[in-house]
Amino acid sequence: MKKLNELSKPDLLLIFQALSDPIRLDIFLCLLKSKEKRFSGATYNISKSTMSHHIKLLKEAKLINLRKEGTTHIYSVNEALVEEIGYFFDACKNNHK
């Protein structure tokens, strides 16, 4: 995994754009709390295809991981990326002192 400060601007934009939607942000925050979770459109009162779209964007940004158990999809946070995001914000904070 590349350090966040080594990622290109398009990579960083992908991460922040994925988190800019209220549903995607909520999915990500839920996963931070519960470690693993199964989501469906019913969780957010949205269609299955809309839910799939939100999950797809979070996966493309590498913010979440997928584990399959039969036909069930179980999601978790990409812990390595979360750690790197913390380093990124620490570096930003230290550069502005």
Side-chain angles (χ1 to χ4, degrees), residues 40 49 71:
S40 70
S49 63
T71 60

Side-chain angles (χ1 to χ4, degrees), residues 23 26-27 39-51 54:
I23 290 175
D26 190 66
I27 291 168
F39 290 97
S40 70
T43 307
Y44 293 97
N45 197 27
I46 58 176
S47 70
K48 184 177 178 179
S49 63
T50 300
M51 188 64 184
H54 286 305

Side-chain angles (χ1 to χ4, degrees), residues 1-2 4 65 77-87:
M1 161 89 44
K2 293 191 231 177
L4 245 169
N65 302 312
V77 167
N78 178 346
E79 296 289 342
L81 186 59
V82 169
E83 188 174 321
E84 294 304 326
I85 290 170
Y87 294 146

Side-chain angles (χ1 to χ4, degrees), residues 22 35 38 40 48 54 58-59 75 84 89-90 94:
K35 302 298 179 199
R38 181 183 164 280
S40 70
K48 184 177 178 179
H54 286 305
L58 289 168
K59 286 181 2 189
Y75 301 97
E84 294 304 326
F89 283 114
D90 285 344
N94 291 332

Side-chain angles (χ1 to χ4, degrees), residues 85-97:
I85 290 170
Y87 294 146
F88 172 76
F89 283 114
D90 285 344
C92 290
K93 183 174 70 175
N94 291 332
N95 287 332
H96 283 70
K97 283 186 177 181

